[in-house]
């Protein structure tokens, strides 16, 4: 079970927040590999039409495999129209102190659309790495058609990265749906992570600047056999807070002492919540080198040096770009692994908590410091963040 939102940008795109506003998914995979997927999404446009619509789809699939070739047919239906998702969204907005989104539905009618599709995959595996070409086709009657192709690189059983092109079209629907179809297509970059219990996914449409992602939990994994022995790779995710109180999301992959880390924050500026139509998207992509100072197996202080690129983006009225700037950055991080709590083993993964603080310096921010007084508080040049991280240690043996 999971949830998706355009809240996840990985520092890419613009977080326009005027397209796929939210989504959720529930997937059941049986021992025979037969799969049932239930997904939902709410589409909102506060810029042009000031309308919205909701979508729910139920799809069944089953893979047919022959050596290096796999074909997975799909069949199901799509329900669209007014599914009362606006009430759920505004309940959440009121709970977290965001502006309510009172948009009319593009259509009050509820319509059902039968759908068919399939995926063809040709793959080659070398050791723990698998390289594949994938081709997808989906057709929903009187709704939309989707065609895509991508190159997929899979590392072990826990991470897959895709780069490809997706084409969507519709000729039987309303104007707002046609506009959304245009936004979520073109060249894309995506990843999927499988941490046993925790799964995360993300996709960015590079040409249109739209992106979304999220997390899900495989609850069945709680009853599977525990097989973890030692850590070969570590995936980390968590929440870091700066001095303004803005939440930063952390995603990183580590191998021994080296790591690749993404930190990003986006949305309204917490120091200017009276104007929620101005949106920031700030992210960094850094390489890190760490060292441990083991005290006990459950309490390990550590240090880390990082260096990379910092991006600053500011949008007025959701779509007017005011700041778009890249800068070199360095950082030092200290923290405690384990926090005295034993790890939680799920299948071949070991989940551990970590407390961390990072002091980051960004070069050359003077050139954008005077553009917006509220935004200038987010650009440093010194940025201090602290928070809690979950380290998922993977045993690939």
């Amino acid at each position: 079970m999971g949830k998706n939102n355009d809240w996840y940008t990985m520092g890419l795109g613009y977080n326009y927040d005027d397209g796929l506003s939210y989504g959720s998914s529930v997937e059941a995979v049986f021992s025979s590999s037969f799969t049932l997927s239930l997904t939902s999404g709410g589409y909102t446009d506060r810029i042009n039409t000031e309308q919205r619509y909701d979508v729910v789809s139920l799809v069944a699939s089953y893979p047919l495999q022959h050596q290096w070739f796999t074909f997975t047919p799909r069949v199901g239906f799509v329900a669209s129209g007014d599914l009362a998702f606006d009430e759920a969204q505004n309940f959440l907005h009121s709970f977290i102190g965001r502006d309510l989104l009172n948009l009319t539905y593009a259509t009050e009618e509820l319509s059902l659309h039968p759908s068919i599709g399939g995926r063809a995959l040709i793959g080659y595996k070398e050791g723990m790495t698998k390289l594949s070409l994938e081709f997808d086709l989906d057709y929903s009657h009187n709704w939309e058609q989707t065609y895509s192709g991508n190159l997929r690189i899979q590392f072990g059983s826990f991470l897959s990265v895709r780069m490809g092109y997706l084409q969507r079209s519709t000729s039987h629907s309303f104007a707002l749906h046609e506009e959304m179809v245009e936004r979520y297509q073109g060249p894309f970059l995506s990843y999927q992570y499988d941490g046993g219990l925790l799964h995360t996914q993300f996709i960015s449409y590079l040409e249109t600047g739209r992106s979304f992602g999220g997390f899900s939990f495989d609850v069945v994994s709680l009853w599977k056999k525990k097989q973890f022995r030692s850590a070969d790779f570590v995936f980390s995710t968590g929440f870091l807070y700066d001095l303004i109180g803005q939440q930063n999301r952390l995603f990183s992959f580590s191998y021994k002492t080296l790591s690749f880390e993404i930190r990003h924050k986006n949305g309204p500026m917490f120091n200017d919540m009276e104007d929620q139509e101005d949106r920031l998207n700030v992210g960094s992509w850094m390489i890190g080198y760490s060292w441990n100072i083991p005290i006990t197996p459950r309490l390990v202080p550590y240090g880390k040096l990082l260096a990379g690129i910092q991006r600053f983006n500011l949008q007025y009225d959701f779509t007017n770009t005011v700041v778009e700037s890249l800068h070199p950055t360095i950082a030092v991080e200290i923290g405690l692994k384990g926090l005295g709590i034993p790890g939680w083993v799920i299948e071949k993964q070991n989940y551990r908590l970590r407390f961390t603080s990072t002091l980051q310096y960004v070069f050359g921010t003077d050139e954008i410091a005077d553009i917006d007084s509220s935004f200038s508080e987010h650009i440093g040049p010194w940025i201090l963040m602290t928070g809690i991280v979950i380290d998922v240690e993977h045993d690939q043996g």
Side-chain angles (χ1 to χ4, degrees), residues 18-19 45 48 179-185 205 208 210:
D18 60 350
D45 175 25
N48 298 320
E179 184 173 337
M180 292 301 172
V181 163
E182 290 294 324
R183 295 178 182 181
Y184 292 94
Q185 64 174 335
Y205 295 93
T208 67
R210 267 72 182 185

Side-chain angles (χ1 to χ4, degrees), residues 56-67:
V56 169
S57 67
L58 178 64
V59 176
S61 63
Y62 181 77
L64 305 172
Q65 297 179 320
H66 179 72
Q67 296 180 347

Side-chain angles (χ1 to χ4, degrees), residues 33-35 59-65 69-75 116-121 134-138 152:
S33 295
F34 177 78
T35 302
V59 176
S61 63
Y62 181 77
L64 305 172
Q65 297 179 320
F69 178 76
T70 302
F71 177 68
T72 306
R74 297 187 286 255
V75 62
I116 59 173
R119 168 177 293 175
L121 182 150
E134 296 180 341
F135 301 93
D136 277 87
L137 168 65
D138 286 288
R152 171 185 169 186

Side-chain angles (χ1 to χ4, degrees), residues 21-319:
S21 288
Y22 52 90
S24 62
S25 64
V26 178
E27 185 174 79
V29 182
F30 297 86
S31 57
S32 64
S33 295
F34 177 78
T35 302
L36 280 174
S37 299
L38 178 67
T39 60
S40 64
Y43 292 82
T44 61
D45 175 25
R46 67 181 76 186
I47 305 300
N48 298 320
T49 65
E50 297 186 348
Q51 293 180 332
R52 68 188 306 151
Y53 66 93
D54 305 327
V55 176
V56 169
S57 67
L58 178 64
V59 176
S61 63
Y62 181 77
L64 305 172
Q65 297 179 320
H66 179 72
Q67 296 180 347
W68 44 267
F69 178 76
T70 302
F71 177 68
T72 306
R74 297 187 286 255
V75 62
F77 68 87
V78 175
S80 64
D82 181 356
L83 300 172
F85 289 175
D86 58 333
E87 297 179 11
Q89 185 181 22
N90 282 331
F91 173 80
L92 177 61
H93 275 215
S94 63
F95 181 76
I96 64 176
R98 300 293 177 88
D99 290 343
L100 299 184
L101 192 58
N102 297 313
L103 303 177
T104 60
Y105 274 90
T107 174
E108 298 292 336
E109 297 180 358
L110 176 64
S111 57
L112 295 177
H113 314 274
S115 64
I116 59 173
R119 168 177 293 175
L121 182 150
I122 304 171
Y124 172 77
K125 187 175 182 180
E126 182 66 34
M128 293 178 55
T129 304
K130 184 177 182 180
L131 185 66
S132 307
L133 283 175
E134 296 180 341
F135 301 93
D136 277 87
L137 168 65
D138 286 288
Y139 172 78
S140 298
H141 182 64
N142 283 345
W143 185 243
E144 68 180 49
Q145 303 79 47
T146 303
Y147 321 87
S148 69
N150 67 84
L151 175 66
R152 171 185 169 186
I153 304 175
Q154 183 170 339
F155 303 95
S157 60
F158 66 93
L159 177 67
S160 62
V161 179
R162 289 179 171 90
M163 296 183 63
Y165 188 89
L166 185 146
Q167 180 69 44
R168 299 173 69 195
S169 62
T170 181
S171 57
H172 306 284
S173 195
F174 42 88
L176 175 56
H177 181 211
E178 294 175 357
E179 184 173 337
M180 292 301 172
V181 163
E182 290 294 324
R183 295 178 182 181
Y184 292 94
Q185 64 174 335
F188 68 86
L189 173 67
S190 71
Y191 84 85
Q192 288 182 307
Y193 164 75
D194 179 352
L197 174 64
L198 172 67
H199 294 227
T200 70
Q201 55 279 333
F202 169 74
I203 186 168
S204 175
Y205 295 93
L206 304 177
E207 189 174 281
T208 67
R210 267 72 182 185
S211 64
F212 62 92
F215 59 89
S216 57
F217 296 96
D218 180 0
V219 293
V220 178
S221 67
L222 295 173
W223 289 272
K224 292 183 178 179
K225 182 180 178 181
K226 302 180 186 298
Q227 306 175 59
F228 179 83
R229 294 172 299 178
S230 61
D232 295 316
F233 299 93
V234 180
F235 168 78
S236 302
T237 185
F239 302 108
L240 310 176
Y241 292 88
D242 56 30
L243 294 178
I244 299 172
Q246 195 103 13
Q247 186 183 87
N248 295 255
R249 272 76 71 189
L250 166 70
F251 296 86
S252 76
F253 286 93
S254 304
Y255 176 68
K256 295 183 179 180
T257 59
L258 297 177
S259 63
F260 172 68
E261 312 204 0
I262 300 173
R263 303 157 191 247
H264 69 95
K265 62 181 179 180
N266 54 272
M269 293 179 283
F270 279 20
N271 55 326
D272 188 21
M273 289 297 285
E274 294 182 357
D275 188 1
Q276 297 186 26
E277 294 183 356
D278 294 345
R279 300 294 179 102
L280 59 77
N281 191 14
V282 176
S284 64
W285 306 276
M286 294 188 285
I287 301 295
Y289 175 82
S290 64
W291 62 93
N292 295 332
I293 309 172
I295 296 178
T296 72
R298 294 186 183 180
L299 191 62
V300 181
Y302 76 94
K304 184 185 296 183
L305 297 176
L306 302 111
I309 298 295
Q310 180 85 19
R311 179 197 181 210
F312 296 106
N313 173 265
L314 176 64
Q315 304 280 323
Y316 282 171
D317 300 324
F318 301 108
T319 58

